[in-house]
Amino acid sequence: MASNAPVGKPTDMSSPRLPKVAGIDSTVPAPPHTVTPLPGVPSAASPSDAALPPGVLIQDRLASWVSDLTTLHELTERLIKTDSLDGALREMLGAGAALVGARRGMAVLEPADGLGPTSTIGLGLAHADLGTIETVPRGSGSYGRLLDGLPEADPPGSGLPDAEPPGAGLPGNSPTAPRRPARVPEPIAIRDVRTEEGLDPRHREVAARLGYAASYALPLATEEAGRLGAAVWLYDEPAEPDERRRHLIGLYGRFATEHLARLLQVERARARVATVAEELLPSRLPRVPGVRLAVRHLTGPQGGGDWYDALPLPEGALGLAVGSVYGTGPSALAAMGRLRASLRAYAVMEGEDPVAVLSDLELLLRLTEPARSATALFAYAEPAQRRIVLAGAGHAPPLVVGDHRTEFVETSLSAPLGMLTCWEAPSVELSPAPGETVLLYTDGLLRRTGDATDRAFARLHAAAASVPRADRSDPGAVADHVLRTLLPGGLDPAVEGEDVVLLAARFE
């Protein structure tokens, strides 16, 4: 973050400049040992204050307050634009360094509930430096003392429970006293590591090795959110922030903690959705002679309803399926699980006829979930004969990749399941040559590119055709190359709710 970068001579490195905002020059001169007040703040003990007319003094103080508020507004505006825990922690570290007048720092994310995620982010510190700091005994380090002391329970005999017992507030149960919010400890300032009493010798040793002389630790906690972690800023010389800087970093820290708490909830929700989606899909792909399988599944933030399946069938046959349920979230995931389980049952009973399999699936969907629609493609493969019979319902055609051809399978146009009174479409038969790979994929692979449909198909074809010859013997390498080429930046965040499924089958 350029606005938080320190400037000036080496002696200035512990006191970076705050951003210049609202026409107020917020340059912070660098003192030899202590950090100066924020820009525009007159010294409380300045002898010149008595000589200033009351109106001038009030104007100076008002200008100082406006400057402080403007700076906080700019920093919090930048913070709320972050949409990930890692990005928010890095932004908070940089802004905090400018507010307290430090050059380096670290943030530790360690929620008190133990549900994670946990991480450590550094500012001006290499990964090895963070590891060195973590060798300091936890009880001696300032951030460790903050983490171990958050949140603090009510003292015995206070009469206020930490939480309401089960059933409290229900009819017939007596009301209980409200829960007391978790108390937040004060920040910890170590003005001089060399002379601070009670520090572990390892703490002094690490400080000397990394070249810092003082630190200021702030708890990332509020009464409502509880403990999320702690932030520590490191000074090159003995120093500590003055009262005004402490006040500003305290305000900013509380706002940052609430923002981190919201991002933490979103991150945990995404992780739960991704876990449910993975559990509804095959835990491993079957091994069938004559064919090698690989799959890549990328889950969007909200969790879509894309699925895949590979099912061994009698007489060495193999059923391959991909599909997508319209919608996102838990409802789409549940519908996806039901649809996939039903398709497996129909595939076992009449897998040789993919049209019959999809017809039964469409009838079930129309009777049980009339408001739901889905796309699906089912292929009945006989690896020994290198023969595939497939049918699709509103689904994108497979792509055959080999040394001598890269082409889409010609399938007839058909409506998605649940869209018509009676679904019907002819099946298609193809015979892959030895060494060719058949790619089955969901529409999310095309939509995630952000391109129009025709261009997305053209890009997919070009990506498959550019697979290096050395990688074509490995279906996993083929799938990885296609994904890297088609989605070089990963999933496009502008396209919400779209999962990506890419199933590759290489025939020997």
Side-chain angles (χ1 to χ4, degrees), residues 17 47 71 89 97 119 161 189 198 234 247-248 276 309 361 363 365 379 381 412 475 486 489-490:
R17 300 169 183 256
T71 299
L89 286 172
S119 64
L234 308 176
H247 178 65
L248 288 179
V276 171
D309 208 344
L361 192 64
L363 178 60
L365 185 67
S412 60
L486 205 60

Side-chain angles (χ1 to χ4, degrees), residues 281-295 308-313 316-321 340 344 383 475 503-506:
L281 296 173
S283 58
R284 62 179 181 177
L285 297 175
R287 293 187 177 183
V288 177
V291 64
R292 295 171 59 194
L293 302 175
V295 68
Y308 65 91
D309 208 344
L311 179 65
L313 297 175
L318 176 69
L320 300 174
R340 173 180 168 267
R344 289 174 70 91
L503 178 62
R506 183 183 188 275

Side-chain angles (χ1 to χ4, degrees), residues 426-452:
S427 61
V428 176
E429 183 174 335
L430 68 146
S431 298
E436 289 188 333
T437 300
V438 179
L439 298 179
L440 309 181
Y441 52 93
T442 58
D443 295 341
L445 178 62
L446 303 174
R447 293 197 180 101
R448 281 290 182 178
T449 63
D451 294 329

Side-chain angles (χ1 to χ4, degrees), residues 130-131 149 189-190 196 203 257 290 317 328 351-353 362-363 371 417 434 456:
L130 296 176
I190 300 178
E196 184 78 12
H203 194 160
T257 301
T328 59
E352 298 91 340
D353 186 355
E362 193 276 338
L363 178 60
L417 302 176

Side-chain angles (χ1 to χ4, degrees), residues 168-231:
L170 296 177
N173 293 338
S174 59
T176 61
R179 177 179 179 177
R180 184 192 297 274
R183 287 193 294 271
V184 178
E186 294 296 322
I188 298 176
I190 300 178
R191 177 175 175 75
D192 192 340
V193 175
R194 295 170 297 181
T195 61
E196 184 78 12
E197 297 181 358
L199 290 186
D200 188 277
R202 178 60 181 169
H203 194 160
R204 304 185 201 276
E205 179 184 344
V206 168
R209 177 182 300 181
L210 299 182
Y212 69 88
S215 65
Y216 185 74
L218 180 74
L220 298 179
T222 63
E223 294 180 347
E224 294 76 15
R227 183 197 82 191
L228 297 185

